[in-house]
């Protein structure tokens, strides 16, 4: 699930807000609002990024087998069950040629969400600056705030949503501690190129910065390929890489994620993680260990299926009058509503369920710069074909 920036004021008690000031901006999310609207109006919810069909049957069966066999029904080991740690390491070796020790360089987390929180809470001091692409996946903003650090946005601008490396250089100050990357990028669908990654890595090395990279959509790249920045020269000792089973295997509710990195970095993240959840999802960890070992045909088939869905929704959105920024990766499409004579994505998304029975999300809430995303609306395509077809038909009646 994705959280949105607060749109409602937080409740107070005897004059003092209940929610502390670090989190004041994150009270109630846009997603709660849009999903409630979708339910109330019986709309198709293309706002939230979760599949409406479960992943591979044999992986679900593997979880059932683990439960029945009593594998993981009691607290699993803090870093994750050895089978999953070995499977994560083998997956990184198989797809990227990266070699990590399952004992010291892999940490299993409660989804990528906990991995992000633990990494930022572990690595940041109050007052540190974190440069992150905006629009943000907004648990980033909340976790940076919880760590008492300051977020510094590098704005990705339509139509290409490419990072401007000169601008990135200009944002680095003596207080900059960390670059927070996300490729493939939610919500824009941008995938960092080898040149961009090399440029970012060179800046990280030059300024001795840490990098936390969120790669949960690593198997959803339609244009180019996924390249982990951890593989670049000088990056291994400064990069925490994050991924998750939720997106790749379509079991988002299981919340099995992981961190890979050099042993001292993983040890630091583990220190924070052990006081967040300590451990979670024992039997699911065994099932995801099997999922990561699925043959290449599974990963290729999943990508091909999502590419077809992307094209189905993109074509429908274009036909309905949206400007479509075709994503290179992820299962989201960012659109611009200006050609429909609309200016304000937030107002548009509030009205959309009533107007045509489809819910979407305004990208504007993922930017600090309100102008940059003012007329951008995000739709997800990780839904059944018939659901997408129905949504497209409804959207076609907008004009
Ligand atoms: C960019 C990004 N990172 C992390 C997550 C969360 O992943 P998980 O469900 O594994 O916590 C999401 C989910 O939408 C996401 O889009």
């Amino acid at each position: 699930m994705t959280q949105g920036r607060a749109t409602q004021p937080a409740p107070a008690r005897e004059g003092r807000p209940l929610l502390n000031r670090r989190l004041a901006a994150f009270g109630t999310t846009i997603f709660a609002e849009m999903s409630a609207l979708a339910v109330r109006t019986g709309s198709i919810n293309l706002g939230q990024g979760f599949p409406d069909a479960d992943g591979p049957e044999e992986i679900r069966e593997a979880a059932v087998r683990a439960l029945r066999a009593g594998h993981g029904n009691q607290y699993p080991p803090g870093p994750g069950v050895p089978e999953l740690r070995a499977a994560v390491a083998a997956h990184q070796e198989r797809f990227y040629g990266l070699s990590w020790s399952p004992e010291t360089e892999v940490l299993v987390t409660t989804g990528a969400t906990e991995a992000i929180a633990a990494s930022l809470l572990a690595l940041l001091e109050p007052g540190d600056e974190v440069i992150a692409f905006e629009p943000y996946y907004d648990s980033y903003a909340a976790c940076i705030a919880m760590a008492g650090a300051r977020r510094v946005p590098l704005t990705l601008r339509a139509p290409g949503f490419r990072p401007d490396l000169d601008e990135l250089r200009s944002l680095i100050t003596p207080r900059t501690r960390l670059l927070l990357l996300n490729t493939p990028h939610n919500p824009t669908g941008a995938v960092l190129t080898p040149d961009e990654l090399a440029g970012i890595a060179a800046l990280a090395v030059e300024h001795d910065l840490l990098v936390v990279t969120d790669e949960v959509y690593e198997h959803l790249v339609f244009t180019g390929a996924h390249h982990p920045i951890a593989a670049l020269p000088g990056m291994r000792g400064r990069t925490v890489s994050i991924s998750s089973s939720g997106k790749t295997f379509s079991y988002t509710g299981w919340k099995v994620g992981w961190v890979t990195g050099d042993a001292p970095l993983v040890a630091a993240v583990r220190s924070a993680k052990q006081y967040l959840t300590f451990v979670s999802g024992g039997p699911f960890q065994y099932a995801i260990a099997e999922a990561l070992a699925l043959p290449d045909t599974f990963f290729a088939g999943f990508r091909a299926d999502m590419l077809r869905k992307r094209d189905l929704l993109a074509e429908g959105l274009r036909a309905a009058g949206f400007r479509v920024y075709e994503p290179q990766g992820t299962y989201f499409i960012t659109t611009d509503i200006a050609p429909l004579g609309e200016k304000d994505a937030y107002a548009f998304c509030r009205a959309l369920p009533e107007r045509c029975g489809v819910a979407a999300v305004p990208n504007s809430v993922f930017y600090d710069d309100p102008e940059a995303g003012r007329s951008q609306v995000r739709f997800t395509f990780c839904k059944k074909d018939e659901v997408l077809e129905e949504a497209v038909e409804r959207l076609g009646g907008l004009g």
Side-chain angles (χ1 to χ4, degrees):
M1 196 183 79
T2 316
Q3 298 90 15
R5 207 75 52 80
T7 54
Q8 313 281 330
R13 186 167 173 272
E14 290 173 2
R16 179 177 160 175
L18 286 171
L19 190 59
N20 70 44
R21 83 172 69 94
R22 288 188 304 286
L23 286 174
F26 305 95
T28 307
T29 76
I30 188 79
F31 283 87
E33 185 182 349
M34 293 304 158
S35 289
L37 250 179
V39 170
R40 204 165 66 233
T41 54
S43 294
I44 297 173
N45 191 350
L46 300 189
Q48 283 188 322
F50 62 90
D52 59 359
D54 283 350
E57 181 61 30
E58 70 260 42
I59 300 309
R60 190 165 45 184
E61 286 309 309
V64 171
R65 264 200 325 277
L67 267 163
R68 291 220 167 102
H71 293 156
N73 289 337
Q74 309 306 327
Y75 296 134
V81 302
E83 288 82 349
L84 178 54
R85 280 183 276 137
V88 167
H91 170 275
Q92 290 262 311
E93 178 84 54
R94 168 178 159 199
F95 285 96
Y96 312 119
L98 279 164
S99 132
W100 304 109
S101 153
E103 280 73 43
T104 56
E105 297 181 319
V106 177
L107 172 67
V108 175
T109 56
T110 306
T113 305
E114 188 193 35
I116 294 160
S119 300
L120 297 177
L121 289 169
L123 300 174
L124 294 172
E125 291 289 353
D128 281 346
E129 291 178 359
V130 176
I131 301 177
F133 300 148
E134 70 169 4
Y136 311 103
Y137 172 63
D138 77 346
S139 87
Y140 301 168
C143 289
I144 293 168
M146 284 193 270
R150 198 169 85 77
R151 67 176 185 270
V152 177
L154 176 68
T155 306
L156 304 181
R157 294 179 196 283
F161 301 108
R162 307 320 312 172
D164 178 334
L165 296 189
D166 292 329
E167 193 180 338
L168 175 58
R169 176 183 287 281
S170 77
L171 294 175
I172 297 171
T173 75
R175 287 180 302 283
T176 309
R177 170 71 166 162
L178 193 149
L179 304 179
L180 179 51
L181 307 181
N182 173 211
T183 182
H185 182 257
N186 174 11
T188 67
V191 174
L192 293 178
T193 64
D195 280 353
E196 287 166 344
L197 287 164
I200 293 168
L203 283 172
V205 170
E206 182 185 333
H207 295 274
D208 196 18
L209 305 177
L210 298 173
V211 171
V212 173
T213 173
D214 176 346
E215 303 182 356
V216 297
Y217 298 101
E218 62 185 308
H219 286 292
L220 279 176
V221 176
F222 311 121
T223 312
H226 176 66
H227 299 284
I229 197 166
L232 297 187
M235 296 309 289
R236 190 181 171 101
R238 66 178 73 249
T239 303
V240 172
S241 302
I242 292 171
S243 195
S244 163
S245 63
K247 308 296 174 181
T248 301
F249 302 112
S250 302
Y251 285 114
T252 56
W254 292 7
K255 295 294 280 188
V256 177
W258 52 85
V259 161
T260 48
D262 236 10
L265 285 167
V266 169
V269 177
R270 194 169 56 233
S271 297
K273 183 258 177 325
Q274 67 191 339
Y275 298 114
L276 294 173
T277 58
F278 179 46
V279 292
S280 62
F284 298 127
Q285 293 192 26
Y286 289 94
I288 296 302
E290 293 192 25
L292 285 165
L294 284 170
D296 290 357
T297 47
F298 164 78
F299 297 92
F302 174 61
R303 187 173 52 243
D305 200 36
M306 284 296 171
L307 177 58
R308 196 176 36 73
K309 290 177 189 292
R310 179 196 77 169
D311 290 345
L312 196 167
L313 183 62
E315 205 177 299
L317 288 166
R318 265 187 222 108
F322 291 82
R323 173 160 191 200
V324 170
Y325 301 117
E326 194 160 272
Q328 302 171 310
T330 77
Y331 44 49
F332 302 106
I333 294 181
T334 286
T335 63
D336 198 304
I337 55 174
L340 293 165
E342 302 276 349
K343 286 192 189 69
D344 182 336
Y346 179 59
F348 178 83
C349 288
R350 286 185 69 174
L352 195 61
E354 292 285 0
R355 283 176 68 186
C356 75
V358 176
V361 162
N363 278 11
S364 41
V365 300
F366 305 131
Y367 285 88
D368 287 332
D369 174 357
E371 281 315 310
R374 170 90 59 210
S375 58
Q376 288 173 14
V377 172
R378 190 196 81 173
F379 296 84
T380 184
F381 52 87
C382 58
K383 305 292 174 187
K384 295 193 182 87
D385 286 5
E386 58 269 29
V387 173
L388 294 175
E389 278 156 11
E390 174 64 25
V392 159
E393 187 159 332
R394 293 184 187 187
L395 288 162
L398 260 184

